[in-house]
Amino acid sequence: MKKLKHAMTSLMVITVSVTMLVACTSNKSASEQPVSSTGSPTTVNAESKKEISISMFDRGKVPTEEGTYENNRWTKWINEKSPVNVKWVPVARNQAQPKLNALIAAGEAPDLIWEYDRNYISQLANQGAIQPIGDYIDKYSTTYKAYLEKHPELQPYLKFNGKVYAVSFVRETLANHGMWIRQDWLDKLGLKAPTTLEEFIDVARKFKDGDPDGNGQADTVPIALSVSANSIDQAFFFTSENQWYVEDGKLQFGRTLDRYVDTLTFQKQLFDEGLIDKEYITDTNFQRSSQLLTTGKAGIYFGNWDIEELNNNVVKNDPKAKLVPLESLSSKYGKNGLYQEAPPSVFTAFNSKMNEEQIKSAIQFIDWMLQDGWVPLKYGEENVHFNMVDGVRQKIDPEKFKKEVSYAFEYAIMIDNVLQPETFLAMASKDEISQNYAKEKGKSLELVMKNKYRRDIPFNPDFPELTQLIATFNPIAQQIEAKVVTGGSSMTPEQGLNELRKEWKRLGGDNVEKLAQAWYDANKDNLK
């Protein structure tokens, strides 16, 4: 009797499960059930899975018809396919750290916290907000553990105070910043692409005065800026405002170097001559600047190496426009690469309140994401968003992809992919705009990686005194620099550098430099 009862119960469970599966399947369109081209992972019974929560950046990219960052086709797909159920916790990209800090202080932080900023992860480790996970990776991981063995260059970045506190993956490319120029404007004015700062200034002046847009007026603002612009200016002179450099065996802070005066001089020249928008100081989100580019009033762009969406808008407004990548420029110090990233991408840390079972579930999710999950989140669904052509995923419809897939990349906390310039053309949609841009995108990546970016140490020292100093110093430094650049004769670049050094010293810079030097001397053998 017990056997019969058990058999009937099992049959009922199977019947209900199949009925629910059929019902769910019949109520979803193909586009709501994306499948990885590498082979769909087996769906796991949702009732048997643990739940974990993960932070993510809210960049405002989810179309209303797609849902929200918490609930859309991709969150549903992840929960259907992965070994856990995930609750996503969006934080605004430009307020991510303050928001996460508030959640941590309130005891409401997600299980997994991720950020691009290694220093922020270091702060969380020092505060005890996250916990070491090296032993758990050894115990519970298969895919990620093997991945680390394949990529030992990640190891120094994952350790804080000698222990592994985060997981990460190698970036698809180290390329980040890039410059673009209107080739059609160069051709119209009989100019060549500049290779030095002097040539660059000459081209910018002729873009300003030579009527390259052909409207009969000198109304162009040659250079459009982005959030990357200051870093690009600084890279020409082998400086970065928040980076440390090794000069004659001593660590020196970038914003206090002798040659930092050259970056201020260069920026001031661009402003004084009207080669950049006079309102750039108040254009904090760079919407005005990008509009100058897309409406054909700017011919040079200081941005990133990949600007597909901006490029498309430029060409839509002027079909004859042709933006091409521009190589980094030589200064009196030589030619530095534009900013390139260190090998690790996103750092994902584990909330200190997680118990071992929760950590195990999170590591299983990381393994799944690295092996199976990231592909659809990057490329979409085969035969819906891309077709496989000669082993390359070729985008079908750019607008459909932008709407349905472009935001999904935020969920891919693990990726195993390296960008190859030669594949961009095959991957792009077959329309003329996409094909033309794909050619330039490949050239852009090659040009950006052609010149090595100077980074004397893989990552900055991190200790509370430095963090506190930078937090106080940065806004003061920005005010000084704004006065130098936009204030006419009120403050020269040399005077500006002196003011920066005074403020640095007043806020405890001498002590921080001693601590940074001690850190470097103790760790330099492990920083190579």
Side-chain angles (χ1 to χ4, degrees):
M1 188 68 182
K2 288 183 178 179
K3 290 184 178 179
L4 177 60
K5 185 177 181 180
H6 177 74
M8 291 178 67
T9 302
S10 299
L11 180 60
M12 288 175 65
V13 170
I14 293 171
T15 303
V16 171
S17 298
V18 171
T19 301
M20 290 177 65
L21 180 60
V22 171
C24 290
T25 303
S26 65
N27 288 332
K28 291 184 178 180
S29 67
S31 65
E32 291 174 315
Q33 300 184 75
V35 178
S36 168
S37 65
T38 58
S40 174
T42 304
T43 302
V44 183
N45 187 340
E47 294 181 357
S48 68
K49 295 194 286 186
K50 303 287 187 182
E51 181 177 284
I52 61 172
S53 55
I54 307 176
S55 69
M56 66 176 303
F57 287 155
D58 180 345
R59 302 180 197 264
K61 298 290 188 180
V62 180
T64 302
E65 56 268 39
E66 284 289 297
T68 64
Y69 274 109
E70 296 95 329
N71 184 21
N72 56 63
R73 72 176 68 216
W74 297 105
T75 61
K76 294 172 184 175
W77 179 83
I78 289 169
N79 284 346
E80 180 184 344
K81 300 296 184 182
S82 83
V84 299
N85 287 320
V86 181
K87 176 185 176 183
W88 297 95
V89 181
V91 292
R93 177 63 183 105
N94 61 350
Q95 289 293 316
Q97 293 181 15
K99 176 63 175 177
L100 288 170
N101 288 340
L103 291 173
I104 291 168
E108 299 172 357
D111 298 323
L112 299 188
I113 301 169
W114 64 259
E115 243 287 3
Y116 290 99
D117 184 356
R118 185 183 183 277
N119 284 343
Y120 180 66
I121 301 300
S122 176
Q123 292 173 33
L124 298 185
N126 291 332
Q127 293 167 8
I130 58 176
Q131 61 181 299
I133 54 171
D135 291 342
Y136 294 120
I137 292 172
D138 289 339
K139 187 175 181 180
Y140 295 120
S141 176
T142 54
T143 304
Y144 185 69
K145 184 163 61 175
Y147 181 82
L148 281 181
E149 292 174 357
K150 182 181 175 183
H151 293 285
E153 68 271 24
L154 289 175
Q155 291 284 0
Y157 295 90
L158 306 180
K159 292 181 179 179
F160 303 83
N161 304 318
K163 296 181 179 180
V164 173
Y165 270 87
V167 297
S168 187
F169 58 92
V170 174
R171 293 177 179 274
E172 293 185 298
T173 176
L174 301 185
N176 190 313
H177 295 172
M179 298 186 297
W180 296 78
I181 193 166
R182 289 279 296 265
Q183 182 64 52
D184 53 313
W185 285 16
L186 290 172
D187 294 341
K188 182 176 181 178
L189 299 179
L191 303 172
K192 293 182 179 180
T195 61
T196 67
L197 286 179
E198 292 77 15
E199 292 173 357
F200 176 82
I201 293 293
D202 183 61
V203 167
R205 287 169 177 161
K206 288 174 179 174
F207 277 7
K208 180 175 183 287
D209 301 325
D211 190 25
D213 61 352
N215 69 349
Q217 303 177 44
D219 60 351
T220 54
V221 180
I223 305 166
L225 307 177
S226 76
V227 69
S228 306
N230 276 355
S231 293
I232 290 174
D233 293 338
Q234 293 164 17
F236 297 146
F237 307 99
F238 293 80
T239 62
S240 175
E241 60 191 39
N242 286 321
Q243 194 168 305
W244 290 83
Y245 294 86
V246 182
E247 306 279 333
D248 298 323
K250 300 294 183 182
L251 273 192
Q252 292 192 34
F253 191 61
R255 223 166 191 159
T256 64
L257 289 169
D258 288 346
R259 60 181 178 274
Y260 194 74
V261 74
D262 294 294
T263 74
L264 299 177
T265 301
F266 179 68
Q267 291 177 54
K268 182 175 179 60
Q269 181 179 13
L270 297 182
F271 182 85
D272 287 347
E273 294 193 26
L275 304 180
I276 58 176
D277 184 18
K278 291 288 187 178
E279 298 183 31
Y280 89 99
I281 289 290
T282 58
D283 186 24
T284 54
N285 58 12
F286 297 97
Q287 287 186 350
R288 176 182 167 90
S289 190
S290 63
Q291 188 177 33
L292 289 172
L293 182 72
T294 57
T295 57
K297 293 302 177 186
I300 300 167
Y301 184 58
F302 280 10
N304 286 15
W305 74 273
D306 182 7
I307 58 165
E308 183 169 6
E309 187 172 344
L310 269 176
N311 176 79
N312 291 348
N313 290 334
V314 170
V315 177
K316 286 176 182 177
N317 288 327
D318 181 1
K320 296 180 181 179
K322 185 179 181 182
L323 275 171
V324 299
L326 184 63
E327 187 179 347
S328 183
L329 304 168
S330 296
S331 71
K332 63 184 180 182
Y333 300 104
K335 183 178 288 189
N336 188 23
L338 301 183
Y339 178 77
Q340 297 164 12
E341 300 285 359
S345 185
V346 171
F347 292 95
T348 301
F350 288 51
N351 194 315
S352 58
K353 294 184 177 181
M354 294 175 71
N355 61 37
E356 186 164 347
E357 278 301 307
Q358 291 172 312
I359 293 172
K360 178 181 178 181
S361 296
I363 289 175
Q364 288 172 343
F365 177 74
I366 286 167
D367 275 5
W368 171 83
M369 181 64 75
L370 187 61
Q371 183 173 354
D372 295 307
W374 69 269
V375 177
L377 298 176
K378 178 174 174 61
Y379 298 107
E381 180 184 357
E382 187 173 5
N383 301 323
V384 175
H385 302 108
F386 70 88
N387 290 324
M388 290 299 293
V389 179
D390 297 328
V392 175
R393 298 178 182 90
Q394 187 177 94
K395 196 179 294 183
I396 296 173
D397 182 342
E399 289 302 317
K400 183 178 180 66
F401 181 91
K402 179 182 176 182
K403 173 185 171 184
E404 298 180 356
V405 184
S406 60
Y407 67 87
F409 206 44
E410 297 293 342
Y411 302 103
I413 65 171
M414 282 287 146
I415 297 168
D416 188 5
N417 190 54
V418 176
L419 294 181
Q420 303 293 343
E422 61 271 17
T423 66
F424 292 158
L425 198 59
M427 290 173 64
S429 300
K430 289 304 181 183
D431 62 280
E432 185 178 0
I433 292 177
S434 297
Q435 286 288 298
N436 288 341
Y437 179 72
K439 294 176 185 176
E440 302 305 331
K441 180 179 177 180
K443 293 177 186 175
S444 177
L445 182 54
E446 291 175 350
L447 282 181
V448 167
M449 296 307 297
K450 179 179 176 182
N451 301 290
K452 186 176 180 181
Y453 173 74
R454 179 174 174 179
R455 180 182 279 106
D456 292 358
I457 53 178
F459 48 82
N460 285 341
D462 54 84
F463 44 87
E465 294 87 346
L466 173 59
T467 302
Q468 292 166 10
L469 172 58
I470 295 298
T472 307
F473 177 66
N474 274 356
I476 296 173
Q478 289 166 4
Q479 291 177 1
I480 293 170
E481 291 168 15
K483 186 175 182 179
V484 169
V485 174
T486 66
S489 60
S490 62
M491 183 179 288
T492 67
E494 291 76 14
Q495 290 170 335
L497 179 59
N498 286 336
E499 287 299 311
L500 290 173
R501 287 171 168 168
K502 286 179 184 177
E503 290 298 320
W504 174 261
K505 188 180 184 70
R506 179 180 69 82
L507 295 169
D510 288 346
N511 181 54
V512 162
E513 287 177 0
K514 290 177 182 177
L515 293 173
Q517 187 65 40
W519 172 88
Y520 174 71
D521 291 338
N523 292 281
K524 60 184 176 183
D525 291 339
N526 299 319
L527 296 175
K528 299 175 181 178

